[in-house]
Amino acid sequence: MSSIFPFPGWRYDPGKVDLAKVMAPPYDIIGPEEQESLYARDDRNVVRLIFGRQGENDSPHDNRYTRAASHLDAWRGDMLFLQDRPAVYLYEQEFENSGVKYVRRGFFARVRLSEWGKEGIYPHEKTLSGPKQDRLELMRSTRGNLEPIFGLLADPENEVAEALANLVDYEPCLDIRDDDNVRNRMWVVDDQDLLHRLLSLTPEPEIFIADGHHRYETALAYQEEIRAKMQEAGQVPPLRGDLDCDYIMMFIVPDSDPGLVIWPTHRIVYGLENFDPVKFLRACEKNFTVAPIARERLEAELDACAMPCFGFAYGDKLFILLLKHRAAMDAAHPDAAEAWKVLDVSVLHTLIMDELLGIDEGKLLRKENIVYSKSLDETLDWVRTGRDGAQCGFILRSTPMQQVRDIAEAGAVMPQKSTYFYPKPLSGLVFHLFW
């Protein structure tokens, strides 16, 4: 039985706003400066809903969550939004990566919630309690999904990807460029024949969560909360699938799509006492082959490695650390899934961060002694200049899509910051509201 359905989405009315000015990146990649910029761009920008300012005088009755609900209620009252008939929303992003042009296609739909690993929905990253509590407070106040989960649909025969490429031949309802110069286009697909043609290809879908693990688990918690409140009020909750909160809005991309790009996330280390890079490299030789490398050859050499590997930088020096054998990972984590033990980031965190540098999982989760960067040049510059006390850096390869699948299917989860799917879907394109 399919778990993917159309829904009557709410969208900004292009006759009332400049669509390019009211969109925003996902909440979890918006920094303080960008938050202020989005606030200034338009007083109806979606940032006021998904990631509002915090104030010194915030209270249980006046805070970023209650203000988001007030904005949403006022904007609906002002007819700022259109509501569609039940539809899915074809979404296309055209972008460049390392000088190569890509197009990524997917669609927004609502997906029936289920526990991880049941009914074909799988995670691949760990979650933290803080972000889940934050998103739960927002969902309680606004009663809906304001941003999509990003899901990867198993598409072994390339059928869904081909269908999306040929689904519509009419003008999009949105066509804008964002701050990263990504062209974003969206179509409302409410024709019954088109919907049937697409959704008939996903009778028993398998979906791997790319981004939005915290929001997915938040939606599960909210679903249980609503059903518990109904019971407390003396009501009998209906069957699962009969309430709006039994579903979540998802941006679904077939995993066969040629526009799927995964960026690596590099690590910059600071604040270690008595750190000696020469002694560190000697210690690495127990489990790694250590070889100096020129900057211009670094990425190609890393990509050519058959075993787990990563780059290491200190000052203006660069090295490749290549795992000699898997025995060290087997000894450190004998019960871990094989797919997890061969991840570059698992090897880095286990044999380097924890064993040699004393940066254990707790410190990683609290971001102690570590800064993350998506830019290789930025990472090397921080290390070379010692910016903010940077002592060394680790350069990661992109995680292949097959490894993401392997981890999810094994029931394992990657360390945080293992994948960065680029580009992110914009927030503000469509909302799934429960009222």
Side-chain angles (χ1 to χ4, degrees), residues 13 44 81 98 106 109 242 338 364 387 433:
D13 184 344
R44 297 155 297 183
F81 303 132
S98 299
D242 288 347
E338 292 303 309
L364 289 169
R387 175 179 166 185
L433 304 179

Side-chain angles (χ1 to χ4, degrees), residues 375-387:
S375 168
L376 173 56
D377 288 339
E378 178 185 64
T379 300
L380 297 179
D381 184 65
W382 272 49
V383 173
R384 180 181 57 80
T385 62
R387 175 179 166 185

Side-chain angles (χ1 to χ4, degrees), residues 304-320:
C305 292
M307 288 285 282
C309 69
F310 30 84
F312 171 71
Y314 78 91
D316 59 359
K317 301 182 185 301
L318 269 173
F319 299 84
I320 285 183

Side-chain angles (χ1 to χ4, degrees), residues 8-63:
W10 294 81
R11 296 180 291 116
Y12 280 104
D13 184 344
K16 301 278 183 70
V17 297
D18 180 342
L19 294 177
K21 292 184 177 180
V22 296
M23 303 295 153
Y27 86 99
D28 54 347
I29 63 170
I30 297 175
E33 292 183 4
E34 187 167 20
Q35 183 187 46
E36 291 305 311
S37 175
L38 293 167
Y39 258 81
R41 186 170 298 177
D42 191 296
D43 59 11
R44 297 155 297 183
N45 188 283
V46 72
V47 72
R48 287 171 168 77
L49 305 182
I50 62 171
F51 192 53
R53 290 176 177 137
Q54 290 181 293
E56 293 182 1
N57 299 318
D58 280 1
S59 70
H61 306 292
D62 182 13
N63 52 60

Side-chain angles (χ1 to χ4, degrees), residues 267 343-350 396 414-418:
R267 275 74 169 150
L343 285 173
D344 290 354
V345 67
S346 298
V347 173
L348 173 63
H349 284 194
T350 300
L396 277 294
M414 294 181 179
Q416 280 207 319
K417 306 294 185 181
S418 296

Side-chain angles (χ1 to χ4, degrees), residues 10 68 86 111 122 138 141 201 215 222 269 276 280 330 385 396 423:
W10 294 81
V111 175
Y122 303 92
L138 183 63
S141 292
L201 298 174
R215 281 170 282 149
Y222 182 77
V269 174
D276 184 327
F280 166 77
D330 291 335
T385 62
L396 277 294

